[in-house]
Amino acid sequence: MVEHNNKKEVNSKNTDNAIYFDFSYAALKLLGKNLYSNAANAISELVANGLDAKAKNVYVYIDMSDKEHSIIEIIDDGIGMNYNDLASKYVWIGRNKRNDEELLEDEKKNVMGRKGIGKLAALYLSNNYYILTKKKGDSIINQWEINLSKYQDSDFPKLDRISQKITLVNEKLWEKNQQGTAIVLNNVDLRRNGTKRIEALKRVFADYYLVDELTSKIYVAVKTDNKSEIKFEQVEKNVAFKNFYAIYDNTEDSKYKCIREYIQFTWLSKYEHIANKKRDTIVYGKNDFSYKGEKKFKTENGELLEKEYELRGWIGVHSTIEVKSAVDKSFIRNDIYQPNKLRIYVRNKLAVADFFEMHPSTQVGANYIEGDITFNILDDDDLPDIATSSRQDFLDDERVELLISLIDPIVNALFKVRNDIGQKIRKENEDYEDGLKKQEEEKRKQEEEARRKAEEQAKEAEQKKAEAEAKQKEAEQSKKEAEEKQKRAEERAEKERQRTRYILNVSGVEDKNIMNSIHSIYNMSNRVKENLDDLSEVVQHSDRGMKKLEKAVVSNQRILSVSKIISKAGMIVDNNDASKQVELNLFISEYVNNVLSCIYDKSDISIQCDIEMDDSKHMIKIKPLSFIMMIDNIVGNAIKANATKLRIVADDTLKEYHIIKFIDNGDGINKSIQDIESLFEFGVTTTNGSGLGLFYAKKYMNDIKGKIEIVPNEDNGISVILKFRKQKN
């Protein structure tokens, strides 16, 4: 076993009124400010010093009426200190209190502190504080002050004796103690600590120490304003055991007896019979998991030393962590205090605030676990001190690995039973809901069947009534339909006869008669124009009359323009010779651009003539009027097929023929037409036309030794292809 020397030479600079620390101010400041993360932990450490001094009672008083300049008094009835104790122990930073010679072996086992730095908690809280201490039998009360504000970093701070009496707020508590220590901290800045956080100190202390294992008592009083009365309340462990669904406990006091025999998970179901069903709680004891044994551990010098270890305490899994649905009404959980943590203690003092922060769990239910576990081998005097190691070193230590191996099976078992009961209740909910759906479906089917039968009966009665009426009307309707059918057939036949007579009459008109008609149209249009000009003087004061007149003028102008264009295009045929020699590309381009553009606008169809003029002239002898009628018929067919665009192109790539293509985007060839060639037969049509246009077009192309074809386009519409035989040079 390692021998420890706990004696130290007293500083030679000490006097009766001054006791020097063995650390510089810079070192004390660095340690004091970095050892603690919050005021509650620092206060807890000062309380631990009183408990190590064998105090039966420790009182913590906090006056935060002025939060920036708060006052803290910590009073205990421990063994106290005299001048020699202060000079040889208190100012010795790093002194191991467990090796004090006056302590018995059993007493050493209960000493919380080991490193001798707990006193630095006062420096975290304040740069100026007082120490009042007295030992039993001494008539002198030692009063000392430390004021760090007057030191440089290289100075060695000291305790200065105070001769005048220091009066405490809780003077009566201090006076009744025959021995003990009082620490008074001035100007403590608690602005970062809310009132609720300070008032929660009782719970913090209860978690910081295993208060149920201590023979001492801790009391806390917090004053938040000048009007508040000082009221000390004892710190007690308050665990909501009745909220647990399962627990592991290997302690002698058997805390598991505090949990309920059963729990009703009312918050997991909206159905009363499931929500109120009693679920038996689960208790694990010593024999269910391994918790103690012997193992060889490495000492500071690397030797192996066999030591006994034992994991003592309890671990429970809460049925719920929602305060509103907690079974135990003492269950408290908020942003200030989180009870559901697995706390690890050594020598009745908190070593690890939350096991899952040290050893994170992938289980969703980690927040449901709470427990108090003692594992003293973590701070065994014969083994290295790991309490101040880095987290990585701490996790790598063989004692921590052993702790994890003991706790994990217990925690996993608790995870499983809590998860199982949750899944079981969810399954009960699903099964019940499926049953409800089946009942609703069956009820719906029955109601639907009854409704259907009622409708069928009503329908049957209505049908019988209707049948009688229908029979009477049937004969009348049949007669009427037959008469109407006959009438429509006769009307269609008469219209077809009239259309055929008209088409045959038109097709028999000679070119010279047509040109004479055009000349007559021209003359009549001029006379209409003269009358319209005279009429403008009559209606010029009427808006409605002027609008009607404007439309008439525009319409007449279009008639006049067409007759002029035809005349200017050289299409007048003399009486002796109806044929004329023309340059084909030029003739088509002029007719499309000069005539058709006047006859049709974009609301009818958009015509694009892409015939380019080149050096190769294609001279051909045609009857201009017949040729124009053929083009008009092709354009008219495209419009009837709902085409919005018509493109006219020339193709001179073939050796024997010069080709003109009329490409539209209309509806294409009707599916009823099996043979495209049939479209050129007399009277065949798929629109509301006469069926004579393509017939005469083919007849005309045959007369001039040419050809006409119809080809469906790949996307939509058709292409009408005119082939003109090239003249040989």
Side-chain angles (χ1 to χ4, degrees):
M1 182 177 291
V2 180
E3 294 293 334
H4 300 277
N5 184 359
N6 200 39
K7 293 184 178 180
K8 177 173 172 45
E9 293 294 331
V10 176
N11 196 317
S12 60
K13 295 194 298 181
N14 289 351
T15 66
D16 289 342
N17 296 318
I19 303 175
Y20 285 83
F21 282 87
D22 58 353
F23 265 52
S24 68
Y25 170 60
L28 289 177
K29 180 172 61 174
L30 181 64
L31 286 171
K33 297 298 181 184
N34 290 285
L35 279 175
Y36 306 98
S37 59
N38 57 66
N41 286 348
I43 296 171
S44 300
E45 193 64 50
L46 294 176
V47 172
N49 289 340
L51 298 175
D52 281 343
K54 303 179 183 180
K56 297 296 182 182
N57 300 283
V58 180
Y59 294 86
V60 178
Y61 167 73
I62 301 173
D63 181 358
M64 52 188 304
S65 303
D66 180 358
K67 292 182 69 174
E68 186 177 1
H69 304 93
S70 299
I71 299 172
I72 298 177
E73 293 181 356
I74 301 173
I75 303 170
D76 68 63
D77 56 1
I79 59 176
M81 294 178 286
N82 55 26
Y83 177 89
N84 290 331
D85 293 327
L86 290 168
S88 62
K89 298 177 182 179
Y90 185 82
V91 295
W92 181 6
I93 306 300
R95 179 181 68 89
N96 189 342
K97 292 185 285 186
R98 299 177 192 171
N99 295 323
D100 285 351
E101 294 178 350
E102 61 267 27
L103 292 177
L104 301 175
E105 287 300 320
D106 289 341
E107 293 176 329
K108 292 180 180 180
K109 293 180 181 180
N110 294 323
V111 174
M112 296 181 181
R114 178 179 184 181
K115 294 172 286 298
I117 57 177
K119 60 181 72 71
L120 297 179
L123 299 181
Y124 172 84
L125 296 167
S126 174
N127 283 337
N128 176 228
Y129 64 91
Y130 298 96
I131 300 174
L132 290 75
T133 182
K134 54 187 174 182
K135 298 198 75 169
K136 190 174 184 179
D138 287 354
S139 58
I140 299 176
I141 297 177
N142 286 286
Q143 297 184 133
W144 301 85
E145 178 188 18
I146 181 169
N147 188 349
L148 298 179
S149 60
K150 61 184 179 181
Y151 294 111
Q152 302 294 324
D153 284 352
S154 58
D155 293 339
F156 281 77
K158 66 181 186 301
L159 296 175
D160 293 311
R161 187 186 294 275
I162 303 297
S163 58
Q164 68 273 21
K165 178 178 175 58
I166 298 175
T167 302
L168 282 69
V169 176
N170 299 281
E171 185 69 21
K172 292 182 179 180
L173 280 178
W174 173 240
E175 287 181 348
K176 75 176 184 179
N177 293 339
Q178 296 182 359
Q179 60 185 23
T181 300
I183 298 177
V184 181
L185 300 111
N186 299 315
N187 296 320
V188 180
D189 190 351
L190 294 180
R191 285 177 295 176
R192 295 174 57 188
N193 296 266
T195 303
K196 290 184 178 180
R197 186 176 298 277
I198 295 299
E199 289 178 345
L201 271 177
K202 288 194 301 178
R203 289 187 175 273
V204 173
F205 289 148
D207 286 346
Y208 202 84
Y209 313 102
L210 275 178
V211 293
D212 294 337
E213 305 291 336
L214 296 175
T215 58
S216 307
K217 295 180 180 179
I218 304 171
Y219 300 88
V220 176
V222 178
K223 185 176 182 179
T224 57
D225 57 68
N226 292 326
K227 298 179 181 179
S228 302
E229 295 182 3
I230 300 175
K231 182 180 180 181
F232 283 95
E233 296 179 350
Q234 184 177 347
V235 173
E236 295 178 337
K237 195 75 170 183
N238 185 12
V239 178
F241 283 104
K242 292 181 180 179
N243 197 52
F244 286 134
Y245 171 64
I247 193 170
Y248 165 77
D249 192 317
N250 65 10
T251 61
E252 295 178 358
D253 55 356
S254 300
K255 291 184 175 61
Y256 71 84
K257 291 182 179 178
C258 297
I259 75 171
R260 300 168 63 96
E261 294 182 4
Y262 61 85
I263 285 182
Q264 295 161 294
F265 288 81
T266 56
W267 58 94
L268 290 183
S269 179
K270 61 183 179 181
Y271 306 111
E272 186 175 352
H273 70 285
I274 298 176
N276 294 331
K277 186 175 181 179
K278 297 178 180 180
R279 318 281 176 170
D280 292 338
T281 55
I282 300 172
V283 176
Y284 296 108
K286 291 182 179 180
N287 298 329
D288 293 311
F289 300 97
S290 174
Y291 67 96
K292 67 178 180 179
E294 294 181 354
K295 189 179 185 304
K296 290 184 178 181
F297 299 95
K298 283 186 179 181
T299 61
E300 289 280 6
N301 57 16
E303 295 179 357
L304 293 177
L305 180 63
E306 189 169 67
K307 303 284 290 185
E308 291 183 353
Y309 65 84
E310 180 179 6
L311 180 120
R312 295 184 66 254
W314 58 269
I315 307 175
V317 59
H318 283 284
S319 57
T320 177
I321 55 175
E322 297 295 331
V323 176
K324 63 181 180 181
S325 55
V327 179
D328 192 329
K329 297 308 176 185
S330 65
F331 181 79
I332 296 176
R333 179 173 179 262
N334 51 44
D335 56 348
I336 303 298
Y337 181 72
Q338 300 289 327
N340 44 322
K341 294 181 179 180
L342 181 50
R343 299 170 288 272
I344 309 300
Y345 294 88
V346 176
R347 297 172 180 256
N348 296 331
K349 181 181 175 183
L350 187 67
V352 178
D354 188 359
F355 173 78
F356 292 118
E357 289 185 359
M358 177 185 76
H359 174 55
S361 171
T362 58
Q363 297 282 354
V364 177
N367 289 335
Y368 285 75
I369 296 294
E370 181 177 1
D372 288 342
I373 290 296
T374 297
F375 200 55
N376 287 333
I377 195 70
L378 292 177
D379 195 15
D380 190 281
D381 289 334
D382 295 325
L383 300 177
D385 182 8
I386 60 172
T388 56
S389 301
S390 68
R391 175 169 294 226
Q392 186 60 47
D393 293 340
F394 188 70
L395 288 175
D396 288 342
D397 187 85
E398 57 185 339
R399 286 168 286 173
V400 177
E401 292 176 352
L402 175 61
L403 172 64
I404 292 173
S405 70
L406 295 175
I407 289 181
D408 273 356
I410 302 171
V411 170
N412 289 336
L414 295 173
F415 281 154
K416 185 177 185 306
V417 296
R418 178 59 184 83
N419 184 60
D420 288 349
I421 192 64
Q423 289 184 349
K424 182 178 180 181
I425 295 174
R426 282 192 290 273
K427 182 65 166 56
E428 291 176 3
N429 285 330
E430 292 172 0
D431 291 345
Y432 182 67
E433 287 173 351
D434 288 343
L436 290 178
K437 289 179 182 178
K438 290 179 180 178
Q439 292 176 9
E440 287 294 325
E441 181 64 19
E442 184 63 28
K443 182 180 178 181
R444 186 193 65 78
K445 288 181 178 179
Q446 292 175 357
E447 292 175 349
E448 180 67 21
E449 181 65 19
R451 184 191 62 79
R452 185 185 63 79
K453 288 182 179 180
E455 289 179 351
E456 286 181 352
Q457 292 173 356
K459 185 177 180 182
E460 185 177 353
E462 186 67 25
Q463 186 173 357
K464 289 180 179 179
K465 179 181 177 182
E467 285 176 356
E469 296 176 353
K471 287 180 180 180
Q472 183 179 354
K473 294 180 180 179
E474 187 175 352
E476 297 176 0
Q477 185 66 24
S478 297
K479 181 179 179 181
K480 183 178 180 180
E481 288 177 356
E483 292 174 351
E484 290 179 353
K485 184 176 181 180
Q486 178 65 25
K487 182 179 179 181
R488 288 195 299 271
E490 291 176 355
E491 289 176 350
R492 285 197 300 271
E494 179 60 26
K495 287 182 179 179
E496 187 64 28
R497 286 192 295 272
Q498 292 176 0
R499 184 165 57 249
T500 301
R501 287 195 298 270
Y502 174 76
I503 292 171
L504 290 174
N505 291 334
V506 172
S507 63
V509 179
E510 295 182 357
D511 289 351
K512 61 181 181 179
N513 293 332
I514 293 174
M515 295 310 298
N516 290 333
S517 298
I518 292 173
H519 183 68
S520 297
I521 291 170
Y522 177 79
N523 291 333
M524 285 187 289
S525 180
N526 272 323
R527 284 196 296 274
V528 171
K529 181 178 183 300
E530 293 172 359
N531 291 330
L532 290 174
D533 290 341
D534 295 338
L535 187 62
S536 63
E537 296 179 1
V538 178
V539 299
Q540 62 180 342
H541 298 295
S542 171
D543 290 341
R544 187 167 180 271
M546 286 300 293
K547 289 180 180 178
K548 293 289 184 180
L549 180 61
E550 287 175 5
K551 290 183 178 180
V553 171
V554 171
S555 298
N556 185 65
Q557 184 61 42
R558 291 182 69 178
I559 296 171
L560 185 60
S561 298
V562 171
S563 62
K564 284 181 179 181
I565 290 170
I566 294 175
S567 299
K568 289 181 179 180
M571 298 173 188
I572 298 177
V573 182
D574 57 39
N575 296 330
N576 298 324
D577 189 0
S579 297
K580 185 176 182 179
Q581 191 81 9
V582 299
E583 200 285 298
L584 185 61
N585 286 1
L586 178 61
F587 182 86
I588 294 174
S589 178
E590 286 184 348
Y591 180 69
V592 171
N593 293 324
N594 297 330
V595 179
L596 294 185
S597 62
C598 295
I599 296 174
Y600 302 107
D601 55 29
K602 290 186 178 180
S603 65
D604 298 319
I605 191 169
S606 175
I607 303 175
Q608 179 181 347
C609 185
D610 291 339
I611 297 178
E612 297 180 358
M613 303 295 108
D614 52 22
D615 294 336
S616 57
K617 295 184 178 180
H618 302 284
M619 302 303 297
I620 187 170
K621 192 174 184 180
I622 64 171
K623 291 181 178 181
L625 190 57
S626 297
F627 191 85
I628 289 170
M629 289 174 64
M630 178 175 64
I631 294 177
D632 288 346
N633 184 267
I634 294 172
V635 175
N637 286 344
I639 294 173
K640 293 174 185 176
N642 299 315
T644 59
K645 294 181 181 179
L646 177 67
R647 185 169 169 240
I648 306 173
V649 298
D651 182 359
D652 196 36
T653 57
L654 296 181
K655 181 178 180 181
E656 188 175 354
Y657 290 98
H658 180 65
I659 295 174
I660 303 295
K661 295 181 180 180
F662 295 81
I663 307 167
D664 70 48
N665 65 344
D667 297 334
I669 298 173
N670 193 290
K671 293 182 180 179
S672 64
I673 301 299
Q674 301 295 324
D675 182 9
I676 295 179
E677 286 298 316
S678 66
L679 293 173
F680 297 107
E681 295 177 1
F682 185 88
V684 176
T685 180
T686 59
T687 65
N688 57 358
S690 65
L692 299 177
L694 290 177
F695 170 76
Y696 283 113
K698 185 167 185 178
K699 183 177 182 301
Y700 179 75
M701 290 301 292
N702 288 339
D703 291 343
I704 63 173
K705 310 300 183 184
K707 295 181 179 181
I708 181 170
E709 298 175 356
I710 296 176
V711 178
N713 298 332
E714 291 184 359
D715 45 4
N716 58 326
I718 63 170
S719 294
V720 179
I721 302 173
L722 303 180
K723 294 183 178 181
F724 301 92
R725 191 177 297 278
K726 294 181 179 179
Q727 296 181 1
K728 296 181 180 179
N729 295 330

